[in-house]
Amino acid sequence: MKANPNDFRVDAVGKLRAETRYIRDEKIPGLWFGAAIRSPLPRARIKSITFDKNFDWNRVTVVTAKEIANNYVAMLENDMPFLAEEIVNYAGEPVVLIAAADKETLREAGEHVKVNYEPLPYVLDMLQSENSDVKIFGERNIFKEIRIEKGNIEQARQNAFAIVELESETGFQEHLYLEPQGVVAIPEEDRVIIKGSMQCPYYIKAALDEMFGGKKHVTVIQAATGGAFGGKEDFPSLLAGHAALLAVKSGHPVAMFFDREEDVRVTTKRHPSYHKDIAYVDKNGRILGLDLTIYLDGGAYCTLSQVVLARSALTATGCYHVPHVRILAKAVATNTVPSGAFRGFGGPQAVFAIEMLIEEIAHRLNLRPDQVRRLNLIKEGQSTATGQILRYSVSAEETFTDVLERSDYVRKYNTYKKGNAPILERLLKGVYPKKNADDMLKGIGLSVSLHGAGFTGTGENRIKGKIRVEINKEGMPVIFSSQTEMGQGEETALKNILAKTLSIDRELILLTEVNTDLVPNSGPTVASRTTMVVGSLLVEAGKEIISRLTKKLNSETGKSFEYRLGYFYDGEQIISFREVAQKYAGLFVEKQYSHPPVIKFDDIRWKGDAYPVFSWAAAVAEVEVDPVTFEISVARYFTTHEIGKAINYDQAIAQIQGGSLQGIGYAIYEKVGLKNGYFDITGFTDYIIPSSADMPEMDVKILENPYPFGPFGAKGLGELPFVGAAPAVISALWMIFNYPFTRLPVMPEDLFSVVRTLKEKGA
Amino acid sequence: MSKNNTVFRPRDLKELDRIIEQNVPPFTFVAGATDLMVQTERWRAAANLIDLTSVSELHETLGVKDSSVRIGAAVPYSRIIKNSVVRELLPILVEACRQIGSVQIQNRGTLGGNIANASPAGDSLPVLAVLDANIWIGPARNGKFTIKKIDEIMTGPGQTILGEKQYIAFIEIPFHEREGQFWAFRKVGQRSALAISKLNLAVLGWLNDGIVKDIRICSGSVAPQINRHRRTEEILRDKKPDEKLIEQACQMIRREISPISDIRSTEEYRRHTTAEVLRDILYQTFAIYDL
Ligand SMILES: Cc1cc2nc3c(=O)[nH]c(=O)nc-3n(C[C@H](O)[C@H](O)[C@H](O)COP(=O)(O)OP(=O)(O)OC[C@H]3O[C@@H](n4cnc5c(N)ncnc54)[C@H](O)[C@@H]3O)c2cc1C
């Protein structure tokens, strides 16, 4: 496999020439600006809302909860209101909406609204939520509870040589997409048009159809979207609701445009997690059983927490074969900003926990971490925690072996250990650690990870994604789908797949604007599903187009044409696809997805094929720690990904590099704290993501092991690179300090404390 | 920006002073705007903006004399970095400029802005302190500028002694004896570029026969102000540093700083690491390793 310069991103040209128009670039006549007045408290009763008489309220439009008939954002639980009416449940929750013709008036109006709150007790700690007197969701503050059992965990316990326990935690993470959230609502007589930065136009449509109770026709159009990472999956439904309410009431188009600070303060974050895990192992480190307890912090409202939890639970045993499993997973409510979708969607938390548990097993049994991993890797024919038998496209061992060899892991592990020993010894003795000016502590860590491609469980069968391909007057196939480009390469992938199926140039294929009036619902652009699921529909559609064109041609000419690599051929004549297609302009094919019947899942008992297939990755991170300042950097990063088939090689490499760096950010750069229930970050200045100067030397390899139902064998890729990065980096810190790092992120300040603890212990 | 603000673009100092004279403060002086642009609230409230990059003396001056260099307050860092005399004679200043933000920030940001912004984390400030820079404050009266040292200008986070009508005109840095000179500037941040310092440390000194003739030490981001650590310097001055003496110096600097815990770091880490970075610098300077 190699790079192909002709296979550049189809959206690149417009972006490089600055022709791509994001929502803030659109000139919308008469545009007003909207904003929300938000709760400053994590939980409170709204006692009154007063509008200062000294302000001329005719200049603006105001919306409060009372005016909204269906005041809930239709999602999984419908528990989140567009505006709080009686109780606010998180600091930052919207209470009043205002729109004005200009931002100055808007700000002025905002200063003249007074909301009177009675502070109420609140709960921020996910572990205290369940038994708290503060009731946010139901009686127990549990959005969802999942139990998965396989085999008999008691038996594993009885046969165990060692019982290894570990608690681990992960923190919030902010998406920090380049383009902050932005949506415009344009009111018409019976219709509202929503235009903006988004991943899932049909999610917004569903939420607004419900909000308007069918009284308005809702059209949702995706504008160019500058990054999302899951942050524009669920959140825009709330924002679009706000814009629509203000637009309908004011009669003006209304923009809800966040600046960076509002964006990082009130939009969803990755779910923090807490794991309490027990492994039963034999003396070689073989895992006999896993007993896992998982908590996810869902924040104040459910959003997608139930599905995030499902993915966490279904990923919790990692890339390992475990005969006896018991998993108890809970997503709980707290008085924080609702957590939401984020690349990996529960997977990164789960893989971090299991990988650290493996580190602990190695630590306890005095084995190298690669030895424990290798011994337990799952293989074709073996089954997962839900009893899903992996029948095809299983590459845990292949990716693992490849990355260990390429990175020279074992040799470096030993060399670095030896090199670190004297530095560490001095450090722990409390003397100056260096012998040479450039002495560094060098670590090498590894991880194996997987990502179930497509929706979890029966999700795909419920969504039943639908696409249409239509031949236009010029004989060009036009793709109608609701998949969105957000910088990940969706347009390129879909065009490539159809072009390859039809054996024609990619330039001959068109994509329709993502507009819910025009395109069918092919499902949201999430869950690493677009290439694999929607791509497979395109392959089917392409094949059908060929066969229908062939039939038409033959019945019209009475000859027997067959299709050969872009041409219809009958021995005498050879006609290009385009020529024939032009004759039958208007021909269209529709395809609807459901899993191949062989894939079955029971989401009540949590048994069966949780995902149609998994993608696999293994990574090795070489980490350096400055023994004086404890600054941490990743010097080199090796990863091997098995993704079925790379639809666009360069793009796949770029996804892997970017996702890995984002995962490195999750491990050692990105930290969000809470201060009085509020996130303590305001933007790029204080939320530190790795910059290009922090990019390690990256060595990426792609393996292909086709998925029989994917387009040309392709599986999902988008999320996987993120998943294994943090555990690989932290594994390197375990290796350096021989200390269990169990909480993400790890900062130099944490290393400083750890070294102090170790020093005290040694003394 | 609010609708009713005025932007002045004086061409030279004379025009600048006239504008200041004839208009009503407050003024917002704008150099590279790398601080101002991100302080949106202040930016919006600003009424009279005065662009200092149009003032030729402030934007252009990089005047090298025999014993000193005078740098216009609105000269961007990258020009300082590129100046061959400054590179040779003031490497510590160049090192600090190089560690500020990124190339883009260095192309816009200025020493004047760094000083007037008065952030305890300003990376040039400790370096200007150890270099004993003279800060020329305008407008000049009868051709004379008010001259102050860095630690006299900054009175607290975001606070300076500058009056409403005063601006920083030049930074004058004396060239120091190069014989026996040693120097270091270290910055500790959360990432390799574009990071606000958790702490930084500037050290400039002179050795004679292994004896410290003089030493100046200044930290940043670990106290509300920029102050030299004179008691720490005192321990080292006129001595031949060994492990014991350096340990004493490290103990002292821990006491001379007053870091806080904030979003960037913790009080304990800052205190500890400032001392250890000092130790690291001194060990490397005196080639003391645990032999
Ligand atoms: C991405 C980014 C990274 C950064 N990284 C660093 C870093 O690593 N280290 C660091 O120290 N700083 C950093 N900064 C902050 C900033 O770049 C520096 O403080 C810079 O020196 C400011 O200079 P300026 O010319 O841009 O100041 P401006 O923004 O123009 O002005 C800053 C303040 O000083 C006033 N002012 C400017 N010039 C004068 C003058 N001559 N007289 C009186 N008042 C004046 C202004 O009114 C304003 O209050 C960073 C900023 C950004 C945006």
Side-chain angles (χ1 to χ4, degrees):
Chain A
M1 232 179 323
K2 55 180 191 292
N4 174 6
N6 293 327
D7 199 5
F8 57 84
R9 279 263 296 271
V10 299
D11 55 323
V13 177
K15 284 172 180 167
L16 288 171
R17 293 192 179 141
E19 288 164 357
T20 305
R21 288 153 75 89
Y22 298 86
I23 188 64
R24 287 166 181 78
D25 302 325
E26 304 252 356
K27 297 270 170 288
I28 299 165
L31 184 66
W32 279 33
F33 296 92
I37 309 258
R38 301 178 179 281
S39 162
L41 302 168
R43 194 156 170 271
R45 185 180 309 282
I46 300 170
K47 284 173 44 190
S48 63
I49 303 175
T50 44
F51 298 90
D52 189 343
K53 293 202 186 68
N54 294 322
F55 183 81
D56 176 9
W57 293 99
N58 290 320
R59 293 162 64 199
V60 300
T61 294
V62 173
V63 175
T64 59
K66 281 201 283 293
E67 306 160 47
I68 313 169
N70 295 334
N71 186 13
Y72 56 87
V73 186
M75 228 177 266
L76 295 171
E77 282 293 338
N78 300 347
D79 58 330
M80 178 164 71
F82 284 100
L83 293 174
E85 183 156 9
E86 277 173 47
I87 306 282
V88 288
N89 279 310
Y90 65 92
E93 181 162 7
V95 178
V96 180
L97 295 171
I98 310 180
D102 60 85
K103 292 179 186 170
E104 211 59 51
T105 313
L106 181 63
R107 198 174 7 256
E108 218 181 302
E111 283 161 12
H112 289 84
V113 179
K114 194 161 167 25
V115 185
N116 226 323
Y117 297 99
E118 174 195 336
L120 296 174
Y122 55 89
V123 57
L124 299 178
D125 181 344
M126 70 175 121
L127 297 183
Q128 279 167 17
S129 163
E130 218 177 326
N131 298 315
S132 168
D133 292 334
V134 176
K135 302 295 176 210
I136 306 166
F137 185 88
E139 276 310 299
R140 290 167 60 217
N141 289 337
I142 294 183
F143 291 125
K144 182 149 187 108
E145 188 171 304
I146 295 171
R147 287 166 195 275
I148 299 174
E149 288 198 33
K150 174 188 180 187
N152 179 354
I153 196 73
E154 263 315 297
Q155 198 179 317
R157 201 173 66 84
Q158 279 161 17
N159 295 333
F161 165 78
I163 300 176
V164 180
E165 295 185 42
L166 196 74
E167 288 175 63
S168 56
E169 284 171 63
T170 61
F172 290 109
Q173 189 185 22
E174 159 59 27
H175 308 82
L176 224 68
Y177 27 68
L178 267 181
E179 180 203 21
Q181 302 275 356
V183 170
V184 171
I186 304 165
E188 291 177 355
E189 201 158 294
D190 304 313
R191 179 165 98 133
V192 179
I193 303 167
I194 299 292
K195 224 172 164 178
S197 189
M198 64 182 72
Q199 279 177 258
C200 311
Y202 271 100
Y203 278 4
I204 297 178
K205 181 167 167 56
L208 266 57
D209 280 344
E210 191 100 0
M211 181 179 88
F212 285 122
K215 292 198 187 87
K216 294 269 177 196
H217 176 82
V218 177
T219 302
V220 182
I221 303 170
Q222 187 216 11
T225 297
F229 303 120
K232 293 170 185 169
E233 176 172 350
D234 44 296
F235 189 82
S237 297
L238 176 67
L239 200 63
H242 290 171
L245 287 164
L246 288 167
V248 168
K249 187 162 177 191
S250 69
H252 298 280
V254 173
M256 294 295 293
F257 291 162
F258 281 1
D259 65 12
R260 181 64 61 186
E261 181 166 345
E262 185 167 25
D263 194 295
V264 301
R265 291 213 149 208
V266 308
T267 68
T268 57
K269 303 281 171 286
R270 186 185 295 288
H271 290 70
S273 73
Y274 165 84
H275 282 245
K276 190 174 165 59
D277 297 336
I278 305 170
Y280 301 109
V281 296
D282 75 8
K283 64 177 190 306
N284 301 319
R286 185 178 296 281
I287 302 170
L288 309 175
L290 286 176
D291 193 349
L292 312 175
T293 308
I294 303 172
Y295 280 81
L296 288 185
D297 182 349
Y301 297 108
C302 182
T303 71
L304 304 169
S305 292
Q306 299 167 338
V307 197
V308 176
L309 183 75
R311 194 176 271 279
S312 240
L314 294 167
T315 310
T317 53
C319 296
Y320 306 107
H321 175 248
V322 186
H324 306 286
V325 181
R326 182 165 67 190
I327 298 170
L328 170 60
K330 296 177 189 177
V332 300
T334 60
N335 292 110
T336 53
V337 170
S339 305
F342 198 149
R343 193 180 204 170
F345 208 74
Q349 294 93 322
V351 169
F352 177 71
I354 184 73
E355 289 298 281
M356 294 306 103
L357 186 62
I358 298 283
E359 292 285 326
E360 180 69 7
I361 295 170
H363 193 77
R364 278 278 299 279
L365 301 183
N366 221 351
L367 296 165
R368 253 194 349 256
D370 60 309
Q371 294 170 322
V372 179
R373 285 184 174 84
R374 186 182 296 281
L375 193 64
N376 291 292
L377 288 175
I378 198 162
K379 297 172 190 61
E380 200 172 294
Q382 291 181 324
S383 68
T384 67
T386 58
Q388 171 170 5
I389 296 167
L390 302 180
R391 283 155 290 190
Y392 43 73
S393 201
V394 185
S395 304
E397 270 198 310
E398 289 75 2
T399 49
F400 180 72
T401 305
D402 183 74
V403 87
L404 285 197
E405 277 174 14
R406 282 195 305 121
S407 63
D408 204 5
Y409 172 86
V410 175
R411 191 188 60 79
K412 284 177 183 163
Y413 182 92
N414 293 322
T415 319
Y416 293 170
K417 274 248 168 197
K418 221 182 268 164
N420 291 341
I423 304 176
L424 266 179
E425 197 187 311
R426 287 189 292 264
L427 198 57
L428 298 185
K429 260 199 274 174
V431 300
Y432 181 69
K434 292 188 189 173
K435 267 240 183 329
N436 299 295
D438 51 4
D439 270 351
M440 281 280 185
L441 291 165
K442 290 187 178 171
I444 187 160
L446 76 172
S447 75
V448 288
S449 55
L450 77 173
H451 194 77
F455 267 136
T456 296
T458 52
E460 292 294 349
N461 287 349
R462 235 176 284 148
I463 279 265
K464 297 194 177 72
K466 202 169 157 188
I467 58 138
R468 187 164 81 246
V469 179
E470 197 174 309
I471 307 291
N472 75 3
K473 286 203 198 77
E474 280 85 49
M476 296 164 88
V478 185
I479 300 172
F480 292 76
S481 94
S482 63
Q483 303 315 126
T484 50
E485 176 67 57
M486 52 188 119
Q488 87 282 36
E490 169 266 342
E491 293 183 348
T492 311
L494 294 195
K495 283 187 173 185
N496 278 6
I497 290 167
L498 187 59
K500 193 165 170 194
T501 309
L502 297 174
S503 306
I504 60 174
D505 280 352
R506 188 174 74 180
E507 283 60 41
L508 284 182
I509 292 172
L510 300 177
L511 273 165
T512 309
E513 171 188 68
V514 180
N515 172 331
T516 54
D517 285 351
L518 304 177
V519 299
N521 185 0
S522 55
T525 305
V526 304
S528 308
R529 66 182 287 280
T530 299
T531 296
M532 186 179 93
V533 172
V534 182
S536 74
L537 295 180
L538 283 173
V539 171
E540 282 178 38
K543 286 182 180 158
E544 190 174 322
I545 285 173
I546 292 167
S547 82
R548 289 197 19 211
L549 287 177
T550 314
K551 250 189 225 139
K552 277 180 185 279
L553 189 63
N554 288 343
S555 73
E556 201 179 297
T557 57
K559 300 199 171 143
S560 49
F561 281 93
E562 55 181 77
Y563 197 62
R564 285 178 172 240
L565 297 173
Y567 295 88
F568 293 88
Y569 174 67
D570 81 331
E572 312 270 280
Q573 255 184 308
I574 181 156
I575 320 174
S576 75
F577 172 86
R578 187 157 181 195
E579 252 177 281
V580 174
Q582 210 163 359
K583 269 171 74 160
Y584 303 111
L587 180 139
F588 70 90
V589 171
E590 284 181 335
K591 290 285 167 193
Q592 185 154 29
Y593 187 84
S594 60
H595 278 329
V598 61
I599 294 161
K600 292 193 184 77
F601 190 68
D602 173 347
D603 56 10
I604 294 167
R605 288 167 51 244
W606 297 91
K607 290 272 176 245
D609 303 316
Y611 297 95
V613 69
F614 294 89
S615 297
W616 306 88
V620 166
E622 290 192 45
V623 173
E624 293 187 354
V625 173
D626 184 317
V628 171
T629 62
F630 301 112
E631 288 166 288
I632 313 167
S633 62
V634 180
R636 271 168 296 278
Y637 190 84
F638 301 85
T639 184
T640 303
H641 273 55
E642 192 278 287
I643 58 171
K645 161 86 191 162
I647 291 298
N648 178 318
Y649 177 77
D650 292 339
Q651 195 50 32
I653 295 282
Q655 276 292 314
I656 295 169
Q657 291 177 336
S660 302
L661 190 63
Q662 197 174 29
I664 290 169
Y666 187 44
I668 56 171
Y669 292 93
E670 302 179 29
K671 187 169 185 169
V672 185
L674 284 175
K675 208 171 168 184
N676 308 324
Y678 240 118
F679 296 134
D680 61 357
I681 55 169
T682 59
F684 283 99
T685 330
D686 48 19
Y687 186 67
I688 307 298
I689 59 168
S691 74
S692 54
D694 304 292
M695 180 87 171
E697 227 177 86
M698 281 224 184
D699 192 333
V700 177
K701 186 163 165 188
I702 294 175
L703 299 181
E704 296 185 335
N705 182 356
Y707 164 48
F709 305 106
F712 312 107
K715 307 188 277 191
L717 161 65
E719 295 165 278
L720 178 64
F722 184 94
V723 181
V729 171
I730 306 302
S731 159
L733 294 177
W734 282 64
M735 177 270 187
I736 295 176
F737 292 99
N738 202 24
Y739 179 91
F741 292 93
T742 55
R743 193 186 301 166
L744 285 183
V746 178
M747 296 283 162
E749 286 77 5
D750 300 312
L751 293 186
F752 160 67
S753 305
V754 163
V755 166
R756 195 176 46 188
T757 310
L758 292 175
K759 239 191 277 183
E760 279 160 10
K761 256 200 222 149
Chain B
M1 266 201 274
S2 83
K3 280 176 196 145
N4 29 6
N5 50 24
T6 315
V7 181
F8 297 99
R9 302 203 75 219
R11 270 167 305 181
D12 52 27
L13 278 179
K14 227 160 91 194
E15 215 178 306
L16 170 62
D17 291 353
R18 204 177 52 235
I19 288 165
I20 292 175
E21 200 47 53
Q22 293 172 353
N23 290 279
V24 183
F27 302 116
T28 300
F29 296 105
V30 187
T34 58
D35 276 316
L36 275 175
M37 287 293 282
V38 289
Q39 299 163 355
T40 39
E41 284 308 316
R42 274 194 57 199
W43 189 239
R44 214 176 269 135
N48 292 315
L49 296 163
I50 303 184
D51 183 357
L52 299 182
T53 63
S54 60
V55 181
S56 57
E57 295 94 326
L58 304 188
H59 190 57
E60 308 300 332
T61 306
L62 238 169
V64 179
K65 293 218 212 98
D66 282 353
S67 61
S68 69
V69 58
R70 197 162 55 100
I71 303 172
V75 172
Y77 293 118
S78 46
R79 272 196 60 217
I80 301 173
I81 295 169
K82 282 193 200 117
N83 185 285
S84 58
V85 180
V86 176
R87 281 165 91 117
E88 196 189 331
L89 299 179
L90 297 169
I92 188 173
L93 178 66
V94 172
E95 180 60 27
C97 295
R98 274 211 181 107
Q99 292 207 33
I100 288 178
S102 59
V103 172
Q104 295 93 320
I105 295 296
Q106 289 157 19
N107 285 341
R108 300 286 312 166
T110 65
L111 288 175
N114 209 224
I115 298 167
N117 194 56
S119 158
D123 285 316
S124 78
L125 309 182
V127 168
L128 294 176
V130 300
L131 285 171
D132 204 27
N134 289 318
I135 315 302
W136 295 27
I137 298 169
R141 300 265 168 255
N142 308 322
K144 281 220 150 97
F145 290 88
T146 311
I147 293 181
K148 296 276 178 196
K149 300 288 180 192
I150 275 288
D151 56 355
E152 296 171 317
I153 292 183
M154 185 175 166
T155 53
Q159 242 110 64
T160 65
I161 56 157
L162 293 176
E164 278 190 316
K165 293 186 161 196
Q166 284 187 308
Y167 59 88
I168 296 165
F170 301 101
I171 293 94
E172 182 199 30
I173 306 172
F175 296 138
H176 298 280
E177 175 64 56
R178 294 175 68 209
E179 174 89 27
Q181 192 187 96
F182 61 92
W183 64 270
F185 174 74
R186 296 278 183 82
K187 166 172 175 171
V188 178
Q190 182 61 29
R191 63 183 159 204
S192 321
L194 291 167
I196 304 177
S197 290
K198 295 178 181 187
L199 59 101
N200 62 33
L201 195 67
V203 175
L204 179 65
W206 291 267
L207 278 179
N208 189 1
D209 248 357
I211 309 265
V212 175
K213 263 195 338 202
D214 193 11
I215 188 165
R216 301 168 185 170
I217 303 170
C218 188
S219 62
S221 220
V222 287
Q225 275 150 281
I226 299 294
N227 287 318
R228 284 202 9 217
H229 303 302
R230 299 196 190 258
R231 282 149 71 201
T232 307
E233 294 171 1
E234 205 48 51
I235 288 173
L236 297 161
R237 193 169 294 126
D238 295 327
K239 304 267 173 45
K240 194 177 175 121
D242 57 12
E243 282 171 67
K244 240 173 87 189
L245 194 72
I246 293 173
E247 172 61 23
Q248 281 174 30
C250 292
Q251 292 290 348
M252 183 55 78
I253 202 170
R254 292 173 73 100
R255 273 183 269 153
E256 280 198 276
I257 58 179
S258 49
I260 55 164
S261 293
D262 60 16
I263 186 156
R264 288 198 299 281
S265 191
T266 63
E267 187 239 317
E268 283 181 308
Y269 173 85
R270 282 177 158 137
R271 194 183 295 283
H272 172 87
T273 309
T274 306
E276 292 315 303
V277 168
L278 176 65
R279 192 194 310 273
D280 196 41
I281 291 171
L282 295 173
Y283 271 50
Q284 287 188 27
T285 305
F286 300 104
I288 301 172
Y289 293 105
D290 180 22
L291 301 169

